[in-house]
Amino acid sequence: MSAGGLLLIIIAALIIFGPNKLPELGRVVGRTFKEFKDATQGIMEDEPPTNKAESPKPAAMVQESAKVEERRLPE
């Protein structure tokens, strides 16, 4: 996006929303981006590590996965 395109968007926003509503609109957009960033960060922290050599499975997780396999229907 060039400077001309950005200027065109700013002028269109001023015409559509008016100078009094733009600060409020900016705050709402900023809060939305912050909430989105926090939510994606939370999802990234919840993911298990991909390298199995770095963090071995606890015994409880191994037993749980064995129980899941036992419940499968025979093929």
Side-chain angles (χ1 to χ4, degrees):
M1 177 177 274
S2 66
L6 186 61
L7 183 63
L8 184 63
I9 290 172
I10 292 171
I11 290 172
L14 277 171
I15 291 171
I16 293 172
F17 298 109
N20 296 333
K21 290 283 185 178
L22 281 182
E24 181 182 336
L25 184 64
R27 281 190 289 274
V28 169
V29 170
R31 283 189 210 125
T32 304
F33 281 131
K34 183 178 184 286
E35 289 175 11
F36 180 76
K37 181 181 173 186
D38 291 343
T40 55
Q41 185 68 25
I43 291 171
M44 295 299 286
E45 290 174 356
D46 288 344
E47 288 184 5
T50 56
N51 190 352
K52 293 180 183 178
E54 290 180 5
S55 69
K57 287 186 177 181
M61 289 181 70
V62 172
Q63 290 174 353
E64 184 178 316
S65 65
K67 289 178 185 177
V68 171
E69 290 177 9
E70 291 173 6
R71 288 186 274 176
R72 291 186 184 166
L73 294 174
E75 293 181 7

